[in-house]
């Protein structure tokens, strides 16, 4: 796992260079030396990406110089995505990288458990029932045993239930339990072959006025077991306050829309002791804990050397510290293997490289390769200081290619060479390790214990440079990267990735058949080799007819693609199935798709996932033909409506008028559009006029915070935080004779079978008498909610508001969701 040592307060880097390795300046090197001389650690624990308190993490890392980690129990898979169409596990990959981007800014380390964010829950009991409690608890204990924090801080209060997201409270409950178990040799004994027990000293809850309901109530609270920190500190060497750094970190959560402007001035943080001994000095979190080099056997001499390095650091010539740093490294390397040795040896190596201006690079000219391929690696080494450095050897991780230059690296004179890298046949594809095996609703399936907790999959292919620094041989490991130059953006750096020889992609992930007519399905084959030839076959149940049965292919050129089309005819009755491709090349078979995630603010990602398409034969009728759609936050509703035969036009909100909307049978507003499309505040009158003149206006769910208009509907309509999180919650029909439940499709209880993640969210809780609530639903032990689907006549047309999660059901091919939405669209006909 890559550790980030710098404060990253070289915050002038642009998001376009999210992959660029960090190059520390003189001030950052000095801050890293301070951190090198502090042997204390803190672990912050919460449930999701964006739950963490970046002010406190930044303060502990950058002011106290503690090794600070954030354990997010989940990867945020169940949230909404404001920047693109990815949801569920793909969103989890994005949010993982956003958390890593945040940690690069605030200086923390990032960890996870195998728990999946399956959506909002109302109690920790529900959460721990869907998660495997013992496995998640095991992962928390595993992280504590490996990270070995002196102090643990919970984001949420373990003593409350039902007051917040159930996963929030569950994270605190698990932390409290793990605090005692981590040091217990009888707990999770299977871990002890790979990790040692560990007793944290103190456990805190990061409290605030928010948890007390008001500033006034918080002022009256008993604070005898509280610690208070002034986290509004200013860092002159960086030109930023701690809250400003924290805001930049928080703003990394772009998919959640958590951009922050930061603040300046005093800012207090409070933590309440939950377990362990209260520090005698309540201004010192580590009071009574030895955080010096004396903490480890043999560390005294190392500490003396590094204290001198810190005191005599030359900001104009950091390389002046190299002789002493090399001596400290040599002493550290000879210590018995242990936690602080492993941590500090990584830190001091990064500092040594930065002081020498040492540039080591291993790059390839292709973004990816397949197992068995040979690829050329361009190597480069340059010393940008007057210190004595010697390049001893360079070894590729396969151990089949190496070089022993044995040359002195003189100031600013580069060394370069090309070596051949043979990709082993048994190398793993580059894909998130937690997605390699099938998984359920609540837990990822990770078979390798050593991977559990890591934010990313360690790279199998890398290069080791052995450098003699002031007479001490030090190994530096570098990942192999793909680098190219963009005419506009300049140097672009991406991970070098291992992918299958051929990628299979269906253009349609769900195919809906509203009648017995056949449809064409497109299959795209992309070769990752210079030449690929074989056969493509699609597996479907016998009740579905497919022609042709097999297609031969030959593709020339790496990265080249060919598209093949097959005709699929559905059975007569309702049916659901999957179609799976089988590509045969020689004696090898391939059935995977290479999915890429490419956003400027996070590293380029490749995922290897099974290629498949869901086939759904519906008993469905519809009225009308033309739908106008105003896109919201990354939903796939337009494509889904096209699947059942509608012609959907994506609209430019700037140009819409009631007159040019008149041609549409219905106008649908995308999810959270009123949260993110600012122009809607100026166009709302035109939308309502369209409905008044005879159109059907359908508004899908919006967050009740940050609505761009005060008039979301023609009549009173107030959104709330109400939601039904149980996807199998019973649905009652309040108006069983309402046309929307009967025409053109007869909606029954069966249409609410097999919904995923939730029924809906942010239901209105108050509305005008003009609205008719159609459905009632509720989670276990709660009062019925009637705001999931509201309909009103307005002038000659209709206004419909729905908080039902159609955007989650459509990609999963849930038949009843299609049938009900067809009724919404058809109401005006």
């Amino acid at each position: 796992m890559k550790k980030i040592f710098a404060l990253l307060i070289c915050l002038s880097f642009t998001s376009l260079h999210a992959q660029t390795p960090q190059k520390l300046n003189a001030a950052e090197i000095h801050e890293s030396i301070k951190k090198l001389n502090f042997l204390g650690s803190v672990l912050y624990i919460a449930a999701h990406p964006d739950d963490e308190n970046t002010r406190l993490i930044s303060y502990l890392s950058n002011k106290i110089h503690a090794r600070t980690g954030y354990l997010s129990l989940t990867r945020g898979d169940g949230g909404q995505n404001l920047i693109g169409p990815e949801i569920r596990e793909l969103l989890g990959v994005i949010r993982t990288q956003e958390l890593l981007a945040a940690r690069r800014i605030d200086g923390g380390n990032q960890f996870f458990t195998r728990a999946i964010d399956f959506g909002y829950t109302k109690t920790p009991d529900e959460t721990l029932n869907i998660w495997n409690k013992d496995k998640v608890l095991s992962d928390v204990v595993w992280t504590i045993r490996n990270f070995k924090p002196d102090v643990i801080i919970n984001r949420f209060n373990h003593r409350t239930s039902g007051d917040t997201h159930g996963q929030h409270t569950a994270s605190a409950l698990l932390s409290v339990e793990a605090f005692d178990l981590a040091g217990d040799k009888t707990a999770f004994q299977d871990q002890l072959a790979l990790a040692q027990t560990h007793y944290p000293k103190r456990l805190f809850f990061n409290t605030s006025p928010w948890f007390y309901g008001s500033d006034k109530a918080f002022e009256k609270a008993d604070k005898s077991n509280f610690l208070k920190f002034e986290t509004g500190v200013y860092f002159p060497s960086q030109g930023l306050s701690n809250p400003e750094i924290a805001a930049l970190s928080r703003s990394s959560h772009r998919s959640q829309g958590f951009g922050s402007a930061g603040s300046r001035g005093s800012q207090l943080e409070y933590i309440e002791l939950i377990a362990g001994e209260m520090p005698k000095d309540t201004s010192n979190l580590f009071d009574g804990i030895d955080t010096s080099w004396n903490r480890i056997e043999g560390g005294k001499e190392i500490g003396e050397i590094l204290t001198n390095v810190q005191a005599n650091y030359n900001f104009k010539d950091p390389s002046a510290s190299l002789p002493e740093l090399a001596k400290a490294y040599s002493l550290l390397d000879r210590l018995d293997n242990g936690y602080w040795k492993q941590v500090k040896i990584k830190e001091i190596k990064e500092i040594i490289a930065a002081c020498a201006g040492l540039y080591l690079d291993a790059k390839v000219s292709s973004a990816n390769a397949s197992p068995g391929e040979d690829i050329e690696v361009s190597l480069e080494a340059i010393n940008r200081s007057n210190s004595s450095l010697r390049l001893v050897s360079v070894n590729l991780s396969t151990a089949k290619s190496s070089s022993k230059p044995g040359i002195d690296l003189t100031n600013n004179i580069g060394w370069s060479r090309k070596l051949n890298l043979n990709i082993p046949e048994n190398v793993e594809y580059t894909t998130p390790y937690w997605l390699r095996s099938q998984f359920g609703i609540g837990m990822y399936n990770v078979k390798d214990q050593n991977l559990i907790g890591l934010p990313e999959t360690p790279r199998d292919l890398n290069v080791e440079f052995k450098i003699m620094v002031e007479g001490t041989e030090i190994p530096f490991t570098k990942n192999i990267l793909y680098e190219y130059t963009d005419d506009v953006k300049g140097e672009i750096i991406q991970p070098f990735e291992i992918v299958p020889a051929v990628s299979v992609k269906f253009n349609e992930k769900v195919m809906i058949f509203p009648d017995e007519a056949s449809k064409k399905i497109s299959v795209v084959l992309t070769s990752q080799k210079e030449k690929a030839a074989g056969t493509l076959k699609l597996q479907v149940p016998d009740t579905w007819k497919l022609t042709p049965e097999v297609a031969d292919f030959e593709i020339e050129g790496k990265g080249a693609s060919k598209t093949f089309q097959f005709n699929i005819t559905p059975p007569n009755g309702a049916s659901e199935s999957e179609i799976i491709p089988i590509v045969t090349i020689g004696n090898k078979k391939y059935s995977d798709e290479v999915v890429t995630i490419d956003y400027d603010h996070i590293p380029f990602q490749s995922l290897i996932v099974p290629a498949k398409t869901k086939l759904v034969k519906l008993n469905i009728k519809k009225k009308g033909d033309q739908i106008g759609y105003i896109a919201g936050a990354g939903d796939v509703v337009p494509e889904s409506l096209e699947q059942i035969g509608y012609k959907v036009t994506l609209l430019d909100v700037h140009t819409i008028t009631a007159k040019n909307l008149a041609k549409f049978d219905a106008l649908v507003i995308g999810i959270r559009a009123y949260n993110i499309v600012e122009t809607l505040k100026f166009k709302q009158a035109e939308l309502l006029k369209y409905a008044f003149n005879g159109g059907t206006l359908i508004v899908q769910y919006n967050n009740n915070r940050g609505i761009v208009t005060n008039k979301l509907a023609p009549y009173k309509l107030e959104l709330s935080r109400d939601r039904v999180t149980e996807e199998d919650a019973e649905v009652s029909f309040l108006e069983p004779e309402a046309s929307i439940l009967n025409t053109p499709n007869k909606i029954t209880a069966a249409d609410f079978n097999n919904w995923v993640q939730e029924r809906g969210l942010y239901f209105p809780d108050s509305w005008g008498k003009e609205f008719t609530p159609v459905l009632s639903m509720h989670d276990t032990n709660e009062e019925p909610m009637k705001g999931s689907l509201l309909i009103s006549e307005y002038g000659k047309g209709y206004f419909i508001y729905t908080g039902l999660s159609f955007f989650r059901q459509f990609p999963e091919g849930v038949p009843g969701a299609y049938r009900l939405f067809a009724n919404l669209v058809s109401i005006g006909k």
Side-chain angles (χ1 to χ4, degrees), residues 242-268:
N242 186 67
E244 287 174 313
I245 295 170
L248 290 166
S249 173
R250 183 105 178 130
S251 297
S252 297
H253 298 296
R254 295 191 188 179
S255 64
Q256 294 299 105
F258 283 135
S260 175
S263 63
R264 289 137 294 277
S266 177
Q267 197 150 35
L268 298 177

Side-chain angles (χ1 to χ4, degrees), residues 88-331:
R88 302 179 73 120
E89 61 268 20
L90 293 185
L91 177 58
V93 172
I94 291 173
R95 298 191 71 189
T96 293
Q97 290 300 324
E98 289 179 337
L99 267 180
L100 286 171
R103 299 295 80 79
R104 285 192 288 271
I105 292 170
D106 59 36
N109 296 264
Q110 185 61 53
F111 305 100
F112 296 95
T113 73
R114 289 169 288 175
I116 295 175
D117 174 10
F118 52 85
Y120 189 89
T121 60
K122 296 178 178 178
T123 67
D125 291 340
E126 180 187 1
T127 297
L128 296 173
N129 185 47
I130 295 175
W131 289 347
N132 182 317
K133 181 195 171 183
D134 286 343
K135 287 185 177 180
V136 182
L137 179 59
S138 168
D139 292 356
V140 178
V141 169
W142 171 255
T143 302
I144 294 171
R145 286 173 172 175
N146 281 278
F147 190 69
K148 299 192 182 303
D150 299 304
V151 178
I152 295 175
I153 302 175
N154 292 341
R155 182 70 182 103
F156 297 105
N157 192 346
H158 69 288
R159 296 159 297 196
T160 59
S161 178
D163 295 340
T164 181
H165 195 322
Q167 293 178 20
H168 290 170
T169 308
S171 72
L173 288 167
L174 292 169
S175 176
V176 170
E177 195 169 345
F179 179 80
D180 292 321
L181 293 177
D184 184 350
K185 291 182 179 180
T186 66
F188 305 110
Q189 296 180 41
D190 56 319
Q191 297 179 4
L192 299 181
L194 301 169
Q196 295 179 333
T197 57
H198 175 71
Y199 287 99
K201 301 295 189 296
R202 294 161 186 147
L203 173 65
F204 293 92
F205 158 48
N206 184 194
T207 189
S208 71
W210 187 86
F211 289 98
Y212 283 79
S214 68
D215 290 335
K216 188 174 182 179
F218 186 67
E219 287 175 9
K220 295 179 179 179
D222 177 9
K223 299 183 178 63
S224 58
N225 61 341
F226 282 24
L227 269 63
K228 179 173 67 174
F229 305 106
E230 173 53 77
T231 62
V233 294
Y234 177 69
F235 300 113
S237 62
Q238 299 135 27
L240 291 169
S241 69
N242 186 67
E244 287 174 313
I245 295 170
L248 290 166
S249 173
R250 183 105 178 130
S251 297
S252 297
H253 298 296
R254 295 191 188 179
S255 64
Q256 294 299 105
F258 283 135
S260 175
S263 63
R264 289 137 294 277
S266 177
Q267 197 150 35
L268 298 177
E269 286 288 342
Y270 297 86
I271 57 175
E272 176 188 357
L273 185 72
I274 300 300
E277 292 185 5
M278 187 72 171
K280 293 180 181 178
D281 179 359
T282 57
S283 66
N284 181 5
L285 183 65
F286 290 94
D287 181 49
I289 300 171
D290 188 355
T291 59
S292 74
W293 279 96
N294 294 328
R295 179 172 191 158
I296 58 176
E297 186 175 352
K300 181 179 179 181
E301 186 178 356
I302 298 170
E304 291 172 350
I305 293 171
L306 293 177
T307 299
N308 182 60
V309 168
Q310 181 177 326
N312 296 290
Y313 178 72
N314 187 337
F315 284 86
K316 292 183 178 180
D317 182 15
S319 66
S321 299
L322 283 173
E324 292 295 284
L325 286 169
K327 186 188 299 184
Y329 172 86
S330 181
L331 292 171

Side-chain angles (χ1 to χ4, degrees), residues 30 177 364 377 513 541 544 642 656 702 707 726 748 784 793:
H30 191 241
E177 195 169 345
V364 292
V377 182
F513 293 80
W544 295 75
E642 289 175 340
I656 60 175
N702 286 268
I707 298 287
E726 297 170 12
T748 69
E793 294 184 12

Side-chain angles (χ1 to χ4, degrees), residues 399-413:
K400 295 181 179 180
S401 298
S402 63
S403 176
K404 295 184 178 180
I407 63 168
D408 292 329
L409 295 175
T410 56
N411 190 356
N412 224 27
I413 304 298

Side-chain angles (χ1 to χ4, degrees), residues 808-829:
R808 294 200 187 280
Q809 314 315 316
F810 287 164
E812 298 299 321
V814 177
Y818 282 92
R819 286 165 43 84
L820 178 56
F821 207 94
N823 282 15
L824 303 188
V825 172
S826 303
I827 190 171
K829 298 296 177 180

Side-chain angles (χ1 to χ4, degrees), residues 763-764 767 774-777 785-790 801-804:
F763 296 163
W767 51 84
V774 178
L775 305 174
S776 174
M777 58 190 71
M785 296 182 186
K786 301 180 181 180
S788 63
L789 181 57
L790 302 174
Y801 187 90
T802 177
L804 294 171

